Amino acid sequence: MGENYVYEVARIRALETSLLKDTDIEQLISLGTYEQCIQFLEERSWGSSDSKGDGERILAAEEDKIWALIKEFKIDLRQFAVLSIPKLYHNLKAAVKAAVSSPKGISIYYDTNPSGEEMRAAIQEGNYKLLPGDMQEVAKEAYESLVHTGDGQLCDIVIDRDCMEAIYLAGHRSKIDIIKDYAESVVAVANIKIAVRAQLTGKSADFMKRAMSSCDSINTDALIKAAIAGKDEIAAYLATTLYRDGVDALKSSQSIFECWCDNRIIRAMKPQKYNAFTLGPIFAYVIARQNEIKTIRIILTGKQNNLSEESIRERVREMYA
């Protein structure tokens, strides 16, 4: 299809009216039990005929609905590569660990191509050529580091960094500004998260250098230097960047800061509501739906674990609608 998405954007505009609003999220938080939350969602047509009463199945069904819509639009899924890359790398991480500990048939994988189980078999056999070309080296490095050191965190940061680099590359290869901006925001926010968590746990500069990925909007050397100096220095550095609105969240609490990280990306998508002819509103809608699912998962998990309303509220994400 061409570059004009007038029909598709019109459909998205109609679907946006069904997105959960901040008031809906507040109502969900105020409900007393997990079961009441499930009823709330099902009354709003969340889930499928096979998911009744099951939170995880409801959320999985909603994720499926997102991609069914994109397929209905006949939009090339490669346009959304920046969104599928994290699932592929999640599977790689799980496959590396499964290849070392040798379990089979585990259900910790997303639906990807190649599948998580195919990745595990390839890694365990040392046949890295069966993996996507841009994952072969990192798979080998992560597997060998885990075998020789037993350090699961080292395995994670090796794969996570490669994931961020893949997202950044996919974003910058795109001809669509919103996708470039999204990739930039994701990588920058990931670097900020690494710095904050590393400062809290006393990680070294070398650890942060190994974990962070380069991007245009964050100077990783300056960020690492600030993290070594302390949280106040991280805040002072952020105040000089595009991410200065995260300073207050950083000073409030870790959970509020983690919410800001996701909210920052949602806020960057909101201007697409006023764009009528490009892929932008469709891409933003997919992000909005995924954000809804993530937020509902937080609420349901909180209810299952008897967290207070205040504790859950501190963790929920801002809605797109």
Side-chain angles (χ1 to χ4, degrees):
M1 63 182 297
E3 294 298 321
N4 194 317
Y5 297 93
V6 175
Y7 165 75
E8 292 82 358
V9 171
R11 284 282 309 280
I12 290 297
R13 292 289 177 258
L15 291 168
E16 283 176 349
T17 63
S18 299
L19 290 172
L20 296 177
K21 300 175 177 59
D22 290 328
T23 52
D24 296 318
I25 297 302
E26 182 59 35
Q27 187 177 347
L28 260 172
I29 294 171
S30 69
L31 294 175
T33 66
Y34 171 88
E35 289 74 20
Q36 287 174 323
C37 291
I38 294 296
Q39 182 180 352
F40 177 97
L41 295 171
E42 290 177 338
E43 287 173 353
R44 284 155 181 77
S45 300
W46 275 53
S48 66
S49 59
D50 299 325
S51 67
K52 189 168 180 60
D54 188 320
E56 277 305 315
R57 286 190 177 185
I58 288 172
L59 299 184
E62 291 305 302
E63 181 77 23
D64 289 343
K65 289 177 187 178
I66 297 172
W67 299 111
L69 177 67
I70 300 304
K71 289 178 182 177
E72 180 187 334
F73 286 163
K74 295 182 171 59
I75 297 174
D76 188 344
L77 288 177
R78 287 177 294 184
Q79 300 270 37
F80 297 87
V82 291
L83 303 181
S84 60
I85 286 169
K87 290 184 177 181
L88 197 60
Y89 276 85
H90 165 89
N91 282 0
L92 177 62
K93 193 184 298 184
V96 167
K97 293 176 180 178
V100 172
S101 57
S102 297
K104 296 181 180 179
I106 50 179
S107 57
I108 56 175
Y109 300 122
Y110 289 114
D111 182 15
T112 60
N113 183 26
S115 70
E117 186 57 26
E118 288 170 337
M119 288 185 184
R120 181 206 61 78
I123 293 166
Q124 204 158 41
E125 295 165 7
N127 195 354
Y128 296 101
K129 291 182 179 180
L130 295 177
L131 301 176
D134 52 358
M135 299 181 79
Q136 293 172 13
E137 287 300 319
V138 71
K140 184 176 181 180
E141 180 185 355
Y143 176 75
E144 290 180 353
S145 71
L146 188 57
V147 167
H148 293 123
T149 69
D151 188 340
Q153 187 179 47
L154 178 59
C155 171
D156 287 348
I157 66 169
V158 166
I159 294 174
D160 287 343
R161 175 174 176 165
D162 206 71
C163 177
M164 289 299 105
E165 289 177 347
I167 289 172
Y168 201 72
L169 182 60
H172 279 257
R173 282 176 174 169
S174 175
K175 297 178 181 179
I176 301 168
D177 287 342
I178 188 177
I179 296 178
K180 292 179 181 179
D181 293 344
Y182 174 80
E184 178 70 35
S185 292
V186 166
V187 175
V189 167
N191 285 337
I192 296 167
K193 280 185 180 180
I194 290 166
V196 171
R197 292 171 181 171
Q199 188 276 321
L200 284 171
T201 55
K203 297 295 185 183
S204 67
D206 285 343
F207 174 92
M208 286 184 272
K209 285 179 183 177
R210 190 161 193 176
M212 291 183 185
S213 305
S214 296
C215 63
D216 290 338
S217 56
I218 288 288
N219 182 322
T220 54
D221 289 338
L223 181 58
I224 290 168
K225 184 178 179 181
I228 294 298
K231 187 165 78 170
D232 288 344
E233 290 301 315
I234 297 176
Y237 171 70
L238 290 184
T240 69
T241 72
L242 296 173
Y243 309 96
R244 60 183 64 88
D245 56 328
V247 171
D248 287 343
L250 177 60
K251 291 180 177 178
S252 296
S253 72
Q254 185 65 17
S255 58
I256 289 175
F257 169 74
E258 295 284 342
C259 281
W260 170 83
C261 290
D262 287 339
N263 291 343
R264 175 67 172 68
I265 295 169
I266 286 295
R267 289 168 190 164
M269 298 295 105
K270 286 188 175 182
Q272 295 303 316
K273 289 182 179 181
Y274 311 105
N275 192 339
F277 304 109
T278 73
L279 186 68
I282 304 167
F283 186 84
Y285 176 80
V286 173
I287 299 292
R289 290 285 292 142
Q290 291 184 330
N291 182 61
E292 278 188 335
I293 292 168
K294 185 174 187 176
T295 300
I296 296 303
R297 179 172 281 110
I298 289 169
I299 294 172
L300 294 180
T301 301
K303 294 297 182 182
Q304 287 177 311
N305 289 282
N306 298 313
L307 296 184
S308 68
E309 288 185 19
E310 184 176 350
S311 181
I312 296 172
R313 191 173 290 111
E314 195 175 74
R315 291 167 169 79
V316 299
R317 274 54 180 167
E318 182 178 305
M319 293 295 100
Y320 177 79

